[in-house]
């Protein structure tokens, strides 16, 4: 199980890295070609589809991961209801396009929402194959399909259409093609049964689990999208374009990374449900990795947000830099939250996550509504505060679920947080020392070099900065990949000398 989990992480990380590079490149090209306003119209449709995705997958397919034994009838039951729900939700989205466009005061969104209804059906049909592959820790097949889908959708369709002047329809067509290619490739890999089955002996149990997943996912959707809905309603297309594009620029790599690690952690933990000490060790390793790699990376982006945004998107997007600062700091919290929730699900506390998050969603609505009376920047900073509160509550509950004392949170993360402080100080000092006339790209590169040296130096000066769980995880990764092993040995020579 450990070897398969490590292999799944390596395949997931490799595929995610390749897809991330393509995403950033494609987004930069499309953002420069289309501008904030076209992205704002698309963001309205994307928000509706993101919500409908939870309705078209009520958690039945997700339950296939945790089920001890999966039979053909389990898959047939799930797939049959995915078809019903996918068709129903696609129709609901299509016919609600008018009211949605009216709510956002954006008539152009009407046709966009109608076209994106197809994505709802495709996502629903894809869910059984996707979760069966996750159950088997077959992230190689998943990453190949997702990479092929992104190349087909955005590189072969989206960018050419944008160059031809298709405007927002370049983004719409790219998303539909991406979803279609992924659905076809994942089904080809699993070839799961398609014969309809609407009820059987395990149906009630499967449905109750799916209901918990649905309710929890709806809360997660609300928390993830309330700020953008309010910004779109109050400030208009250009502002939601700036806000949503900046958010997605930071969120997409975060969600991609979480999509690699979280399913592996959940699948492996589901098979170790009676060995909570081993689950706790795995979580401590994830905590150390988060503090050492994730927090410093986003701290650097927040510190250099002006140069970061202008380098990627050009001067027309300079206003997004003020949004980038707080939203970049949101992402480590979002990732830590996502790494913690499997502890609740694998220990039979799935309902607990819903109970904790329901009042958070209500708080989110009130805080973002109040902040929107001032500016989009105020909304972004309020979202940062809300994420900090939510993550703290859920992490504490998750650690209690596996018997981890809260002091272990500090024990696993202090080394990485120390390196983050050193990195941020070096970044600020370098940026302040550079003349104002230095262009954004060289400014970003010079500050990045100083940050990297400061981070590495801080880790070397603190031999006990890395907890043993992280060292063990790194060695396991290195044993499966010579490249990863050589990288860890060079970056952390004192820690891996033993």
């Amino acid at each position: 199980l450990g070897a398969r989990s490590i292999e799944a992480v390596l395949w997931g990380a490799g595929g995610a890295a390749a897809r991330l590079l393509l995403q950033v490149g494609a987004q930069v090209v499309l953002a420069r070609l289309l501008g904030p306003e076209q992205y704002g119209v698309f963001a309205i449709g994307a928000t509706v589809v993101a919500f409908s995705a939870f309705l078209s997958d009520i958690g039945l397919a997700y339950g296939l991961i945790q089920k001890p034994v999966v039979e053909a009838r389990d898959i047939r039951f799930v797939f049959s209801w995915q078809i019903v729900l996918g068709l129903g939700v696609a129709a609901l989205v299509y016919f609600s396009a008018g009211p949605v466009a009216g709510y956002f005061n954006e008539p152009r969104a009407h046709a966009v929402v109608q076209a994106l209804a197809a994505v709802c059906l495709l996502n629903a049909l894809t869910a059984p194959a996707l979760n069966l592959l996750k159950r088997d820790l077959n992230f190689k097949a998943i990453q190949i399909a997702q990479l092929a889908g992104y190349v087909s959708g955005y590189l072969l369709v989206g960018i050419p259409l944008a160059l031809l002047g298709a405007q927002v329809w370049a983004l719409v067509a790219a998303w539909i093609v991406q979803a279609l290619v992924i659905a076809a490739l994942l089904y080809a890999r699993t070839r799961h049964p398609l014969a309809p089955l609407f009820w059987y002996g395990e149906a009630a149990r499967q449905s109750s689990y799916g209901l918990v997943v649905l309710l929890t996912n709806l809360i997660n959707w609300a928390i993830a999208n309330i700020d953008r809905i309010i910004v779109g309603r109050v400030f208009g297309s250009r502002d939601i374009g700036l806000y949503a594009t900046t958010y997605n620029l930071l969120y997409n790599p975060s969600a991609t990374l979480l999509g690699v690690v979280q399913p592996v952690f959940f699948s492996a933990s589901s098979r170790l449900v009676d060995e909570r000490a081993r689950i706790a060790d795995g979580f401590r390793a994830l905590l150390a990795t988060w503090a050492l790699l994730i927090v410093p990376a986003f701290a650097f982006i927040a510190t250099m947000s002006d140069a970061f945004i202008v380098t990627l998107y050009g001067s027309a997007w300079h206003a997004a830099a003020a949004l980038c600062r707080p939203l970049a700091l949101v992402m480590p919290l979002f990732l830590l939250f996502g790494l913690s929730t499997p502890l609740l699900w694998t220990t039979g506390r799935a309902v607990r996550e819903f109970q904790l998050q329901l009042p958070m969603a209500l708080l989110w609505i009130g805080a973002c509504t109040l902040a929107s009376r001032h500016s989009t920047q105020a909304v972004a900073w309020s979202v940062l505060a809300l994420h900090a509160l939510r993550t703290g509550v859920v992490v504490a509950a998750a650690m209690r679920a596996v018997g981890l004392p809260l002091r272990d949170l500090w024990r696993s993360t202090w080394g990485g947080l120390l390196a983050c402080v050193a990195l941020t100080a070096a970044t600020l000092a370098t940026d302040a020392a550079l003349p104002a006339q230095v262009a954004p790209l060289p400014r970003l590169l010079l500050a990045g070099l100083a940050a990297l040296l400061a981070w590495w130096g801080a880790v070397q000066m603190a031999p006990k900065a890395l907890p043993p769980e992280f060292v063990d995880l790194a060695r396991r990764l290195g044993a499966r990949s010579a490249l990863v092993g050589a990288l860890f040995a060079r970056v952390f020579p004192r820690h891996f000398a033993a």
Side-chain angles (χ1 to χ4, degrees):
L1 180 61
R4 289 173 61 200
S5 299
I6 293 296
E7 185 176 354
V9 169
L10 289 173
W11 267 108
R19 195 166 72 254
L20 179 59
L21 290 174
L22 291 174
Q23 283 178 339
V24 172
Q27 281 188 10
V28 167
V29 173
L30 289 168
R32 288 175 176 268
L33 289 172
L34 300 177
E37 187 173 346
Q38 295 298 316
Y39 260 91
V41 177
F42 178 73
I44 294 172
T47 301
V48 175
V49 172
F51 172 72
S52 64
F54 296 124
L55 298 179
S56 58
D57 177 10
I58 61 170
L60 290 175
Y62 195 71
L64 294 174
I65 297 176
Q66 198 176 37
K67 208 169 187 296
V69 178
V70 173
E71 301 175 355
R73 59 179 187 168
D74 299 317
I75 302 171
R76 290 171 54 201
F77 173 74
V78 169
F79 185 70
S80 299
W81 281 104
Q82 290 295 128
I83 295 175
V84 173
L85 293 167
L87 289 171
V89 171
L92 179 64
V93 169
Y94 184 89
F95 290 109
S96 67
V100 168
Y103 176 82
F104 287 100
N105 298 314
E106 180 50 78
R108 291 173 294 180
H110 185 281
V112 170
V113 173
Q114 287 185 328
L116 289 177
V119 175
C120 303
L121 177 59
L122 290 170
N123 287 343
L125 299 180
T126 304
L130 175 64
N131 286 288
L132 285 171
L133 291 170
K134 287 181 179 179
R135 171 187 173 81
D136 293 336
L137 296 174
N138 189 353
F139 280 76
K140 176 181 178 180
I142 294 173
Q143 292 301 327
I144 290 173
Q146 292 180 342
L147 191 60
Y150 196 85
V151 169
S152 301
Y154 286 87
L155 271 65
L156 300 183
V157 175
I159 291 177
L161 286 178
L163 289 169
L164 293 173
Q167 297 186 329
V168 69
W169 293 104
L171 299 171
V172 173
W175 197 0
I176 293 174
V177 170
Q178 179 191 26
L180 181 61
V181 170
I182 291 174
L185 291 178
L186 291 183
Y187 174 71
R189 188 64 183 84
T190 57
R191 297 283 184 178
H192 61 73
L194 304 177
L197 178 65
F198 294 99
W199 200 258
Y200 72 118
E202 291 287 318
R205 182 178 179 183
Q206 286 280 87
S207 301
S208 63
Y209 184 87
L211 180 61
V212 174
V213 174
L214 171 64
L215 294 174
T216 304
N217 283 343
L218 288 174
I219 292 295
N220 283 328
W221 176 89
I223 289 174
N225 290 276
I226 283 169
D227 53 339
R228 280 173 283 182
I229 292 173
I230 291 173
V231 167
R233 171 71 173 175
V234 175
F235 295 98
S237 295
R238 183 179 182 276
D239 286 304
I240 193 176
L242 289 169
Y243 191 97
T245 303
T246 304
Y247 186 92
N248 289 337
L249 173 67
L250 301 164
Y251 173 81
N252 286 339
S254 304
T256 300
L257 177 61
L258 188 61
V260 171
V261 180
Q262 188 191 57
V264 176
F265 187 41
F266 177 61
S267 298
S269 299
S270 296
R271 288 155 178 75
L272 298 171
V273 67
D274 295 325
E275 301 181 57
R276 296 190 180 183
R278 295 179 66 187
I279 297 175
D281 287 343
F283 185 62
R284 276 193 288 259
L286 292 177
L287 283 174
T289 307
W290 170 81
L292 190 67
L293 302 178
I294 303 302
V295 178
F298 283 105
F300 174 76
I301 293 173
T303 306
M304 297 297 297
S305 59
D306 289 280
F308 179 72
I309 289 294
V310 175
T311 297
L312 288 180
Y313 289 162
S315 56
W317 290 79
H318 185 266
L323 300 170
C324 184
R325 293 186 190 97
L327 293 179
L329 298 177
V330 164
M331 296 307 143
L333 298 170
F334 161 74
L335 283 164
L336 180 56
F337 167 82
L339 293 174
S340 304
T341 53
L343 298 182
L344 296 174
W345 288 81
T346 55
T347 55
R349 292 172 172 81
V351 177
R352 185 58 178 157
E353 182 187 345
F354 172 75
Q355 293 171 338
L356 291 172
Q357 294 215 80
L358 182 58
M360 291 289 175
L362 300 176
L363 181 61
W364 228 274
I365 295 173
C368 289
T369 300
L370 290 174
S372 68
R373 297 178 182 178
H374 302 281
S375 64
T376 52
Q377 292 93 330
V379 174
W381 283 105
S382 69
V383 166
L384 172 59
L386 291 164
H387 269 280
L389 177 61
R390 178 177 76 148
T391 301
V393 169
V394 172
V395 167
M399 293 182 71
R400 285 195 299 269
V402 292
L404 269 176
L406 287 177
R407 64 176 177 272
D408 277 23
L409 181 63
W410 172 250
R411 185 175 75 85
S412 299
T413 61
W414 74 267
L417 298 179
L418 174 66
C420 180
V421 172
L423 174 146
T424 304
T427 303
L428 290 170
T430 304
D431 188 45
L434 292 172
Q437 59 268 28
V438 176
L441 178 57
R443 179 178 291 273
L444 194 64
L445 294 175
L446 290 171
L449 178 60
L452 188 61
L453 291 173
W455 173 86
W456 185 80
V459 173
Q460 302 312 309
M461 289 187 295
K464 296 183 179 180
L466 304 185
E469 295 85 5
F470 172 82
V471 177
D472 180 62
L473 175 62
R475 284 177 174 157
R476 286 174 176 268
L477 289 167
R480 302 288 297 185
S481 169
L483 177 61
V484 174
L487 179 62
F488 275 119
R490 289 183 178 276
V491 176
F492 309 112
R494 299 179 63 183
H495 303 84
F496 290 85

